[in-house]
């Protein structure tokens, strides 16, 4: 299953990984279908590009119930993977996600790990 993000710099297709994070994939798909990302911008461009509702005045539809990093098939935060951003505690993720611009293996463990739920499709 793929999702396509249309940006001013071109389209980015994401190959979803329900084998790694089924709850997270369902949450993101619902947020997309509900139009929560429409008109939102990527921000940050250091080691990741990040997107979500931060600063938009729109509230997320609740937090994810758990960080699936420790429960599913672990996928490392390598270049081109997408993961849920969270604060300094493991089970507080919501609509904020990022695309790794480089391999960020430290994110596999930091604060319980950032849960990879997709990867940029090469095709």
């Amino acid at each position: 299953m793929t999702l396509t993000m249309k940006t001013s710099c071109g389209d980015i297709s994401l190959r979803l990984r329900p084998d790694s994070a089924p709850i997270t994939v369902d949450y993101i798909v619902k947020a997309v279908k509900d139009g929560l990302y429409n008109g939102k911008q990527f921000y940050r461009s250091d080691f990741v590009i990040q997107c979500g509702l931060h600063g938009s005045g729109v509230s997320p539809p609740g937090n994810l119930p758990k960080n699936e990093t420790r429960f599913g098939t672990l996928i490392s935060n390598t270049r081109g993977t997408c993961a849920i951003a969270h604060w300094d505690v493991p089970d507080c993720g919501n609509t904020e996600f990022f695309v790794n611009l480089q391999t960020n293996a430290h994110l596999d463990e930091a604060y319980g790990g950032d849960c990879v739920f997709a990867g940029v499709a090469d095709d």
Side-chain angles (χ1 to χ4, degrees):
M1 172 192 274
T2 60
L3 287 176
T4 300
M5 298 181 293
K6 298 192 178 294
T7 76
S8 60
C9 294
D11 294 352
I12 303 172
S13 293
L14 302 179
R15 185 167 288 116
L16 300 174
R17 295 293 307 267
D19 60 316
S20 174
I23 295 168
T24 304
V25 167
D26 288 346
Y27 180 90
I28 293 295
V29 168
K30 182 176 180 343
V32 168
K33 287 181 179 177
D34 290 348
L36 293 180
Y37 295 107
N38 293 352
K40 304 305 180 283
Q41 297 181 357
F42 280 98
Y43 59 96
R44 294 185 72 164
S45 61
D46 42 6
F47 62 103
V48 300
I49 55 173
Q50 189 163 328
C51 184
L53 302 180
H54 180 74
S56 70
V58 177
S59 296
N63 288 334
L64 285 156
K66 68 180 178 180
N67 178 342
E68 294 178 280
T69 301
R70 301 176 306 274
F71 303 102
T73 301
L74 177 65
I75 300 172
S76 185
N77 281 272
T78 57
R79 184 177 189 274
T81 57
C82 304
I84 292 294
H86 57 77
W87 303 111
D88 297 347
V89 293
D91 294 321
C92 68
N94 55 43
T95 58
E96 294 293 314
F97 72 92
F98 57 87
V99 178
N100 286 292
L101 299 177
Q102 63 190 32
T103 294
N104 293 304
H106 66 284
L107 298 178
D108 295 343
E109 299 292 329
Y111 310 113
D114 287 290
C115 181
V116 173
F117 68 91
V120 175
D122 292 334
D123 42 302

